[in-house]
Amino acid sequence: MKILIADDEKDLRRLLYDQLTGAGYSVIQAEDGKEAIRLFLSEKPDMAILDVMMPGMDGLSVLSKIRETSEMPVLMLTARGDEIDKVSGLRLGADDYLVKPWGMNELLARIEVQKRHLRLEKPKENIVLSGSLKMDFENGVIEKNGKVINLNAKEYHILKYFAGNRGKIVTKRQIYEEAWQEEYLYDDNTIMVQISRLRAKIDDDQEKHVETLIGIGYRFT
């Protein structure tokens, strides 16, 4: 689980980073609101912990911006305990609120609560739709415009990996180790041949599902 921390207090960010990474979370840090928005857009975190009082763009403004495109859990941290501040955050879409000084154990417990909510709310995605593609991974049936597409085993595993990470950038190493189930040893040609064959079966002039990011990897759009 990747957590975005936004707080202008360097020592507090370091404390949060050490505690959360020690608890097994991946952490990205922002020292102000503008950097928080940039990281939210580029890193696609699973959760955010935002300080309300930050210079320039405060935490409530960041929350409002996040809620334009995402329903990920957002926990607000503040030194102010006024009820009106809490209400403002909750109305903007905050999922939880902690008033400083707070205990690290309490914070970790509240993060666990949000993780449980995510597990309950996340639908099972056995069938994935993308344009004219219908991908039923429970039954291993891939259709385009209602017609079954025959994929070899590697093409199928690559497509399943793409669909499970749609919108995200995936590297050749990640694709290889997922589809071949062995360590990647710089075998670009093998990967490119399989992806080329897959594209020939799922893409057409109207739809392009797999985007190439030169020197980086691929993205299933």
Side-chain angles (χ1 to χ4, degrees):
M1 186 176 185
K2 184 188 294 185
I3 300 178
L4 167 63
I5 297 170
D7 198 300
D8 60 320
E9 295 183 33
K10 184 177 181 180
D11 290 342
L12 180 56
R13 288 201 313 274
R14 182 182 294 113
L15 172 64
L16 287 170
Y17 178 86
D18 290 343
Q19 293 292 325
L20 293 180
T21 54
Y25 297 106
S26 173
V27 178
I28 51 177
Q29 304 177 67
E31 63 181 15
D32 56 43
K34 289 185 178 179
E35 186 179 14
I37 293 297
R38 182 183 64 79
L39 290 174
F40 162 70
L41 294 172
S42 63
E43 297 290 334
K44 303 292 190 298
D46 303 298
M47 180 179 180
I49 300 175
L50 308 176
D51 183 30
V52 172
M53 296 298 291
M54 290 188 289
M57 188 178 193
D58 64 21
L60 294 178
S61 299
V62 175
L63 170 62
S64 181
K65 189 69 176 177
I66 288 174
R67 283 292 175 256
E68 291 178 6
T69 57
S70 174
E71 292 300 319
M72 74 173 182
V74 176
L75 191 155
M76 306 300 296
L77 302 178
T78 181
R80 300 180 300 181
D82 293 341
E83 183 179 3
I84 190 170
D85 293 324
K86 294 182 181 180
V87 171
S88 297
L90 294 171
R91 283 179 174 171
L92 284 171
D95 296 277
D96 206 346
Y97 224 102
L98 273 178
V99 178
K100 299 175 183 178
W102 38 264
M104 185 57 66
N105 288 335
E106 181 182 5
L107 175 63
L108 291 172
R110 289 175 184 258
I111 291 173
E112 283 296 322
V113 169
Q114 296 306 319
K115 282 176 62 178
R116 289 199 295 271
H117 288 170
L118 280 176
R119 287 196 292 267
L120 290 172
E121 294 170 3
K122 188 174 182 178
K124 294 182 178 179
E125 298 184 346
N126 295 322
I127 296 179
V128 181
L129 303 177
S130 178
S132 62
L133 277 182
K134 179 181 179 181
M135 296 164 280
D136 182 350
F137 293 112
E138 182 174 356
N139 297 301
V141 178
I142 311 299
E143 299 179 4
K144 182 175 176 63
N145 294 317
K147 297 181 179 180
V148 175
I149 300 174
N150 293 315
L151 303 177
N152 66 35
K154 292 295 186 286
E155 293 165 356
Y156 178 84
H157 286 300
I158 291 172
L159 179 60
K160 185 175 182 181
Y161 186 67
F162 275 145
N165 292 276
R166 57 193 183 278
K168 299 179 181 178
I169 297 172
V170 294
T171 65
K172 291 176 182 177
R173 174 185 293 276
Q174 290 172 315
I175 296 168
Y176 187 91
E177 293 181 351
E178 175 68 23
W180 277 262
Q181 291 294 300
E182 59 185 49
E183 185 180 359
Y184 175 70
L185 296 174
Y186 198 78
D187 195 358
D188 283 6
N189 188 59
T190 299
I191 299 172
M192 292 169 67
V193 167
Q194 293 293 344
I195 291 178
S196 178
R197 290 175 177 171
L198 175 63
R199 278 173 159 160
K201 296 177 180 180
I202 67 173
D203 285 352
D204 54 37
D205 292 338
Q206 284 72 46
E207 291 182 349
K208 304 294 182 185
H209 295 279
V210 181
E211 176 186 3
T212 300
L213 302 166
I214 298 174
I216 302 174
Y218 300 90
R219 178 165 49 206
F220 190 82
T221 58

